[in-house]
Amino acid sequence: MPPKKRSSGATQSKELKPSAEGASPDKKESPELNLKKHRDKDAEFVTLCKSLHVTDLVCDRAWVLWKTVQDSTDEVTEVQKKLWGACLFVTATDMDASCFTFTQVLKAVNLSVKQFVALVKKLDVNLDTISTKVNSALARLEKKYDVMLALYQRFEKTCKSIFALVPNGKERDTMRSCWTMFLLAKGRALQMDDDLVISFQLLLCTLELFIKRCPSELLQAPYTVSKVQSPPTRTSRRNQSRAKPRPPEPEVDVQLLETLCKENDCNTEEVKNVYQTSFSAFLDSLDLSRSPDFPQVNDLDQQYEEHYLKSRDIDGRLFFDGDETVLAPKLEITQVERTPKKNLPDEDAVLIPPQTPIRAAMTSIQQLRGGLISSGDQPSTILTTYFKNCTVDPTQDIQKRLETLEQVFSQRFAQAVGPRCAVLGKQRFTLGVRLYYRVMEELLKSEEKRLSVQNFSKLLNDSTFHTSLLACALEVVMATYGESSFKTGGYNSAGGDPAETDVCFPWILDTFSLAAFDFYKVIESFIKAFPTVTKDIIKHLETCENLIMERIAWRTGSLLFELLKQECESGAAVEQVETTASFAQPLQHNHTAADLYLSPVRPGLRILPPDSPATSTSQASSQATTQPASQSSPRHPKSNSLSLFYKKLYRLAYMRLKTLCSYLLSSHPELEPIIWTLFQYTLQHEYELMKDRHLDQLMMSAMYAICKVKSVDLRFKTIVTAYKNLPNTNQETFKNVLISEGHYDSIIVFYNQVFMQKLKTNILQYASNRPPTLSPIPQIPRSPYKFPNSPLRVPGSNNVYVSPLKSPRMSPSIMTPRSRMLVSIGESFGLSNRFQKINQMVNNSDRSFKRTHDLGSTPKPLKRLRFDVDGQDEADGSKSSGDSTLIQKLAEMSSTRSRMQEQKMKEDAESKKE
């Protein structure tokens, strides 16, 4: 029998019973709301609390938060109930109170997921309104919603090609059961249930199960054909005369699965592995592996209800009901690709939606796998020759290392993603190994050409080099599958262990116990040697590199501190200030992975230059360890890796400082080089301040310090407001700064108690008649990595580029320029006004086709700096006059917003010129 239709109101009627244990740290408190205790509160607020089954303590704390929000927010009357819901969510999340689910609070205040997320973010008018814990929980819910929405949209589209419409609507009942089973399977099989690719593969497994058990009249071709042609399962004659003939079905209909995978551009082997491990185990848990019938819809519904209430997040069944809480945001014109038809005016242009997340993921995976088809799981003949040319053949060590790391990787992957996902981890590892061998071969070819050597014994017997190269290859694989990103900015605010369900960078470093500084040394060479590198992968690895320089390499116990210590002990200064000309030089000058891994570990030991170009890398490196210290030159050479690291660090630091100054100090351009001098001095001479901290924390502190001694009225709250609009920022940077061992507080406390105390003498010199000499300003470079298929400027033209076709398999919607005019040479072009527009675009360097400004809704400066010490408004204890407070706030708002918008417009114009 087909499953019965679930009532759309089922979810609403089943409320989560409050838990006395999870509701409050105070075990004596009753889980039921005591109305007498809350007579001082708004009656409607109390009613909302009662409907969500919150405890007395949650109600009290949420009301205190509401009063804070009310004091700092204008015109709250119209959205009062919605703000109450946000305050209750924030409070319950902070307290780990199991009062209500995310969906329940959405329904109580009549908001969609995106609307609610935006509302909670707007509450963060003060640094302590929204904790990093709440922000993290909200980000997780938003990511899970985005994944669920993408999956449901693909599910709905796929079902239209699978199931036939019948008069009694049975196909809708079947689809509902299928979607509910998938949600339950995803919840039970995956710990990291926001993994888009594995979730989608699990969805295909669920569809395969329902198709092969579905009556033929409900199916459309090619799924009816596949169902008929599926080979019957044979039974032995010995067993034919025994008990009742139970129709056992094959574990997986390979032909049917191949059809599903082909229609969805998915790899069949990967889906088959998901079926045989995670999905089969799930079916066994429901006793459905051998049952020829549909699972009972009521049973599925009840089991998913229990899972949803336990997880306290989003009820995925509502997607099928088209519930308003999970409706997709409306697609704006700026988010679609504009493709004019021939001979049609602009207003009749066709709008093509952008590529879907699942399609984009499948395309990226196909490109990665396609580029590695020729690469085997073993070293190629060329690579084997390199190994044999070594003084010590590294083949055995490489093989043993890979076997060990495969076990480590697959186990940790299964711990993070799901208990039965070790096989999937091995699949990722196998792809990583292929890429590792491929890139290693290209690296060695490049080094042979550069140095005219064939013996790379020293490099190829370096375990750290191999582990770093493999880690980089695996990071690329996981990023391609969408499993690695940068949700928390690459660090945990309190220095604790990362969550078990988080494989975001730097998870791979922790998995292999690999130093971030060692991983950093291979990134640039890896990108250059990657034969089919894409812009997305370049951007991902570049972000990894930036995160290492900003924070990860500065963790306690980092190899970087050991190198810096050795540098100081040798009597050399840490990366002396360079001249402007030096800063302007490109960063790629022969700094290959071999250079960085074989550079001297002890800076006091000089490397003698090779006698001839044919001198092997291994011989040059051996001189670093055998040359007596007494024979070294008075001028101590620097470690290449440390030198290059600091050059890149200075450029990154200055780029971020320049952007922040353009937002805040455009009327005081003379301050930028002074702030940079203090910032650079800190990184060079007081690098211990970076330990377990972030580069931007020193940047903001240096900016505030210089403005203070130069009597420029720039408040910390204004700096933080502008900082939140910089790219790749995280609120933990200014909300949780290390003050002392185990103690974290806000950026203002760090400035008062740490930064100013350490650099007070140096800061005051900038107010004297003899200030320190200004540090050279590094030029702001473009990305140091060359994009292989970037558009090329047409010679003698202005703003005209030619972009090569990357792959014939790519969808036309990918290649269509966004919000631009599409011109097809050789075809009728239509109206003459289009030629005029093209001429205007080509001749006008500023272009009239402006993008929508992202900074149009710049958050206003904070009304009160509630994290300041003892309520003081500034670090030095000064307070605003009171009478002019409102005028001053409005002036700051207007000034900050206008500066940021002007800068954004300049950046847009410059990017279009290039």
Side-chain angles (χ1 to χ4, degrees):
M1 293 291 291
K4 294 181 179 180
K5 186 175 181 179
R6 180 177 67 86
S7 170
S8 60
T11 306
Q12 294 92 310
S13 63
K14 296 183 180 181
E15 295 287 352
L16 176 60
K17 295 181 180 180
S19 169
E21 182 179 354
S24 168
D26 185 3
K27 293 184 179 180
K28 295 180 182 179
E29 184 188 16
S30 170
E32 296 295 332
L33 197 67
N34 188 337
L35 299 180
K36 294 181 180 180
K37 291 183 178 181
H38 307 291
R39 290 175 180 173
D40 60 323
K41 302 176 181 65
D42 191 297
E44 291 186 17
F45 175 80
V46 177
T47 302
L48 178 63
C49 291
K50 186 173 176 61
S51 70
L52 292 172
H53 299 288
V54 304
T55 63
D56 289 326
L57 187 55
V58 172
C59 181
D60 286 335
R61 293 189 179 180
W63 183 254
V64 172
L65 176 59
W66 156 245
K67 300 304 289 184
T68 303
V69 171
Q70 192 177 32
D71 292 341
S72 57
T73 307
D74 301 325
E75 299 178 5
V76 299
T77 307
E78 296 180 2
V79 293
Q80 183 168 276
K81 186 177 180 180
K82 295 176 173 58
L83 287 169
W84 285 343
C87 290
L88 285 167
F89 170 79
V90 169
T91 303
T93 302
D94 268 327
M95 296 175 60
D96 286 324
S98 305
C99 303
F100 48 79
T101 70
F102 187 53
T103 290
Q104 286 169 345
V105 75
L106 292 178
K107 287 188 167 296
V109 297
N110 194 28
L111 285 175
S112 69
V113 173
K114 292 295 186 180
Q115 290 171 335
F116 190 84
V117 169
L119 184 66
V120 174
K121 288 180 178 179
K122 285 183 180 179
L123 289 185
D124 200 11
V125 292
N126 299 301
L127 289 192
D128 58 351
T129 303
I130 305 298
S131 68
T132 53
K133 181 178 181 181
V134 172
N135 191 67
S136 177
L138 202 65
R140 184 191 67 81
L141 286 167
E142 190 174 18
K143 173 71 182 297
K144 186 170 183 177
Y145 166 77
D146 290 338
V147 169
M148 268 191 178
L149 178 62
L151 290 168
Y152 181 73
Q153 289 173 337
R154 175 52 69 93
F155 169 78
E156 196 172 45
K157 180 181 178 182
T158 305
C159 283
K160 287 180 181 178
S161 64
I162 295 175
F163 299 107
L165 298 176
V166 292
N168 58 6
K170 286 185 179 180
E171 81 285 350
R172 287 292 294 173
D173 297 334
T174 303
M175 288 167 58
R176 181 185 294 277
S177 294
C178 183
W179 177 247
T180 305
M181 173 177 269
F182 160 68
L183 292 173
L184 184 60
K186 183 168 76 81
R188 289 190 176 178
L190 300 180
Q191 289 174 193
M192 202 170 77
D193 56 2
D194 60 357
D195 187 302
L196 179 64
V197 174
I198 299 180
S199 295
F200 178 59
Q201 292 169 343
L202 202 58
L203 177 59
L204 294 183
C205 295
T206 312
L207 284 168
E208 186 270 351
L209 178 77
F210 272 76
I211 291 171
K212 69 187 179 187
R213 297 184 182 188
C214 190
S216 298
E217 61 268 18
L218 290 183
L219 299 174
Q220 301 183 79
Y223 300 99
T224 51
V225 177
S226 176
K227 186 179 178 67
V228 171
Q229 291 182 352
S230 295
T233 304
R234 297 181 180 180
T235 55
S236 63
R237 294 187 177 183
R238 183 182 301 175
N239 295 330
Q240 284 181 354
S241 58
R242 297 186 181 180
K244 301 177 182 181
R246 186 180 182 182
E249 61 181 29
E251 184 176 350
V252 58
D253 187 326
V254 178
Q255 184 179 350
L256 179 56
L257 202 63
E258 285 178 350
T259 302
L260 278 168
C261 291
K262 183 179 179 181
E263 292 295 315
N264 289 279
D265 298 321
C266 207
N267 183 270
T268 306
E269 279 304 309
E270 290 185 356
V271 180
K272 190 176 179 181
N273 279 330
V274 170
Y275 196 111
Q276 293 172 341
T277 54
S278 301
F279 192 64
S280 291
F282 165 73
L283 293 178
D284 288 339
S285 70
L286 297 181
D287 197 24
L288 290 173
S289 295
R290 294 290 179 182
S291 172
D293 302 320
F294 281 117
Q296 292 295 319
V297 65
N298 292 336
D299 184 46
L300 283 178
D301 217 45
Q302 182 180 354
Q303 292 193 53
Y304 177 72
E305 179 87 5
E306 293 173 359
H307 169 78
Y308 148 67
L309 294 176
K310 185 178 180 181
S311 64
R312 292 190 287 148
D313 52 27
I314 302 169
D315 186 349
R317 295 169 296 186
L318 297 180
F319 286 95
F320 195 88
D321 299 326
D323 193 275
E324 291 184 356
T325 60
V326 293
L327 282 181
K330 292 182 179 179
L331 199 63
E332 297 179 3
I333 297 298
T334 55
Q335 294 176 300
V336 298
E337 294 173 352
R338 196 172 181 84
T339 307
K341 287 183 177 179
K342 290 185 295 182
N343 301 323
L344 288 179
D346 287 344
E347 53 269 21
D348 295 331
V350 180
L351 298 180
I352 302 176
Q355 195 177 34
T356 64
I358 291 178
R359 178 72 65 186
M362 296 301 107
T363 301
S364 298
I365 292 169
Q366 282 184 334
Q367 287 177 345
L368 176 67
R369 297 180 67 91
L372 296 175
I373 289 177
S374 60
S375 304
D377 300 337
Q378 298 296 324
S380 66
T381 305
I382 296 175
L383 204 52
T384 303
T385 303
Y386 278 119
F387 293 165
K388 290 180 179 179
N389 286 339
C390 291
T391 307
V392 178
D393 191 332
T395 305
Q396 268 193 330
D397 286 343
I398 289 173
Q399 194 60 42
K400 288 180 180 178
R401 186 182 302 107
L402 289 177
E403 291 172 1
T404 302
L405 294 179
E406 180 183 26
Q407 292 297 320
V408 173
F409 180 85
S410 58
Q411 289 173 7
R412 287 288 302 273
F413 186 87
Q415 288 173 7
V417 180
R420 297 182 181 274
C421 292
V423 173
L424 303 181
K426 289 184 178 181
Q427 279 185 328
R428 305 285 190 276
F429 191 87
T430 299
L431 272 179
V433 169
R434 291 179 180 178
L435 183 56
Y436 156 78
Y437 280 140
R438 182 77 174 271
V439 171
M440 191 194 309
E441 182 178 322
E442 295 300 322
L443 280 174
L444 295 177
K445 286 179 180 177
S446 176
E447 285 298 286
E448 180 182 5
K449 184 178 180 180
R450 186 173 71 92
L451 300 173
S452 299
V453 298
Q454 294 179 334
N455 182 358
F456 297 100
S457 185
K458 187 70 175 178
L459 179 66
L460 293 178
N461 281 282
D462 188 326
S463 177
T464 304
F465 164 73
H466 286 286
T467 306
S468 300
L469 196 65
L470 177 64
C472 199
L474 288 169
E475 182 63 28
V476 167
V477 171
M478 291 194 298
T480 303
Y481 276 83
E483 289 155 348
S484 181
S485 59
F486 313 100
K487 283 187 288 190
T488 60
Y491 68 97
N492 182 281
S493 62
D497 294 331
E500 280 300 318
T501 57
D502 183 9
V503 295
C504 297
F505 186 80
W507 176 85
I508 190 65
L509 306 185
D510 299 327
T511 298
F512 286 169
S513 300
L514 180 65
F517 187 73
D518 284 326
F519 181 84
Y520 147 84
K521 290 189 286 188
V522 81
I523 292 176
E524 187 172 320
S525 292
F526 189 98
I527 291 174
K528 292 177 182 177
F530 192 173
T532 57
V533 65
T534 64
K535 288 184 180 180
D536 287 338
I537 292 302
I538 291 176
K539 183 177 179 181
H540 181 87
L541 291 179
E542 195 171 8
T543 305
C544 291
E545 184 180 65
N546 288 344
L547 286 173
I548 289 172
M549 291 189 289
E550 289 171 2
R551 180 175 178 102
I552 303 172
W554 302 97
R555 289 174 172 175
T556 298
S558 170
L559 173 65
L560 179 59
F561 286 106
E562 181 62 27
L563 287 174
L564 289 169
K565 182 181 177 182
Q566 291 174 1
E567 191 88 358
C568 292
E569 288 177 351
S570 69
V574 178
E575 189 54 39
Q576 295 286 349
V577 182
E578 298 179 272
T579 64
T580 305
S582 177
F583 268 131
Q585 291 174 358
L587 290 173
Q588 288 85 7
H589 43 79
N590 294 331
H591 283 297
T592 65
D595 283 329
L596 302 183
Y597 282 96
L598 300 178
S599 64
V601 177
R602 295 191 60 83
L605 301 180
R606 182 173 177 78
I607 302 179
L608 296 179
D611 295 332
S612 68
T615 304
S616 73
T617 307
S618 60
Q619 291 172 344
S621 178
S622 66
Q623 294 176 5
T625 56
T626 59
Q627 182 76 8
S630 59
Q631 297 180 16
S632 63
S633 169
R635 181 183 178 184
H636 301 292
K638 294 182 182 299
S639 164
N640 282 341
S641 57
L642 184 60
S643 177
L644 181 62
F645 179 86
Y646 253 83
K647 287 178 182 178
K648 285 192 172 184
L649 175 69
Y650 284 161
R651 284 173 167 86
L652 175 64
Y654 181 71
M655 285 168 64
R656 295 185 70 75
L657 175 65
K658 184 176 179 63
T659 304
L660 193 59
C661 285
S662 68
Y663 288 165
L664 299 172
L665 298 172
S666 58
S667 58
H668 296 278
E670 74 281 358
L671 293 185
E672 182 189 298
I674 301 175
I675 297 170
W676 165 244
T677 301
L678 175 60
F679 191 14
Q680 189 272 334
Y681 173 88
T682 308
L683 293 173
Q684 180 180 349
H685 298 284
E686 301 292 348
Y687 56 82
E688 285 288 335
L689 285 175
M690 280 293 297
K691 185 171 288 186
D692 293 325
R693 296 192 179 97
H694 194 288
L695 182 70
D696 292 346
Q697 292 162 359
L698 271 62
M699 174 185 69
M700 288 186 280
S701 297
M703 175 177 282
Y704 181 81
I706 294 301
C707 287
K708 208 67 182 172
V709 298
K710 292 296 184 180
S711 300
V712 174
D713 186 17
L714 180 65
R715 302 175 176 231
F716 236 122
K717 58 185 176 182
T718 311
I719 295 175
V720 170
T721 301
Y723 173 77
K724 287 193 286 187
N725 289 279
L726 262 63
N728 303 319
T729 57
N730 189 287
Q731 67 166 346
E732 301 209 10
T733 305
F734 52 83
K735 285 190 175 182
N736 286 279
V737 189
L738 177 66
I739 308 302
S740 58
E741 187 175 356
H743 176 217
Y744 290 77
D745 214 314
S746 66
I747 183 74
I748 194 76
V749 177
F750 166 72
Y751 177 85
N752 285 334
Q753 299 183 11
V754 182
F755 188 87
M756 187 174 64
Q757 302 301 326
K758 188 75 172 177
L759 293 162
K760 190 172 184 178
T761 303
N762 185 269
I763 293 171
L764 292 176
Q765 290 178 7
Y766 293 94
S768 67
N769 296 326
R770 300 181 64 183
T773 305
L774 296 179
S775 298
I777 298 294
Q779 290 188 358
I780 298 181
R782 296 297 169 192
S783 170
Y785 307 112
K786 294 180 180 179
F787 296 100
N789 293 319
S790 296
L792 302 176
R793 185 188 297 272
V794 176
S797 67
N798 186 17
N799 294 323
V800 178
Y801 294 82
V802 176
S803 182
L805 179 63
K806 294 181 182 178
S807 169
R809 296 176 297 173
M810 293 180 68
S811 167
S813 63
I814 304 176
M815 298 181 289
T816 303
R818 295 177 183 270
S819 303
R820 295 290 184 269
M821 301 178 68
L822 182 67
V823 182
S824 180
I825 306 299
E827 296 183 6
S828 175
F829 191 58
L831 303 178
S832 61
N833 65 341
R834 294 202 176 184
F835 288 106
Q836 295 174 359
K837 289 186 177 181
I838 293 176
N839 289 333
Q840 183 181 9
M841 290 167 59
V842 172
N843 295 326
N844 184 4
S845 60
D846 293 330
R847 291 196 194 179
S848 60
F849 298 90
K850 298 289 185 184
R851 288 181 294 176
T852 302
H853 298 304
D854 297 333
L855 300 176
S857 57
T858 303
K860 59 186 178 182
L862 313 182
K863 285 200 168 187
R864 290 188 298 160
L865 194 61
R866 299 182 63 248
F867 64 92
D868 287 351
V869 181
D870 300 326
Q872 296 169 354
D873 189 61
E874 290 303 325
D876 62 353
S878 64
K879 298 184 180 180
S880 57
S881 61
D883 295 337
S884 61
T885 299
L886 179 59
I887 297 175
Q888 191 170 2
K889 305 291 186 199
L890 293 173
E892 287 177 358
M893 287 170 53
S894 176
S895 177
T896 302
R897 183 180 290 113
S898 61
R899 290 172 190 165
M900 297 175 78
Q901 288 179 341
E902 287 174 6
Q903 177 62 23
K904 185 65 177 176
M905 291 176 67
K906 290 179 182 178
E907 290 175 356
D908 287 346
E910 289 176 1
S911 65
K912 290 171 183 175
K913 288 178 183 179
E914 292 156 3

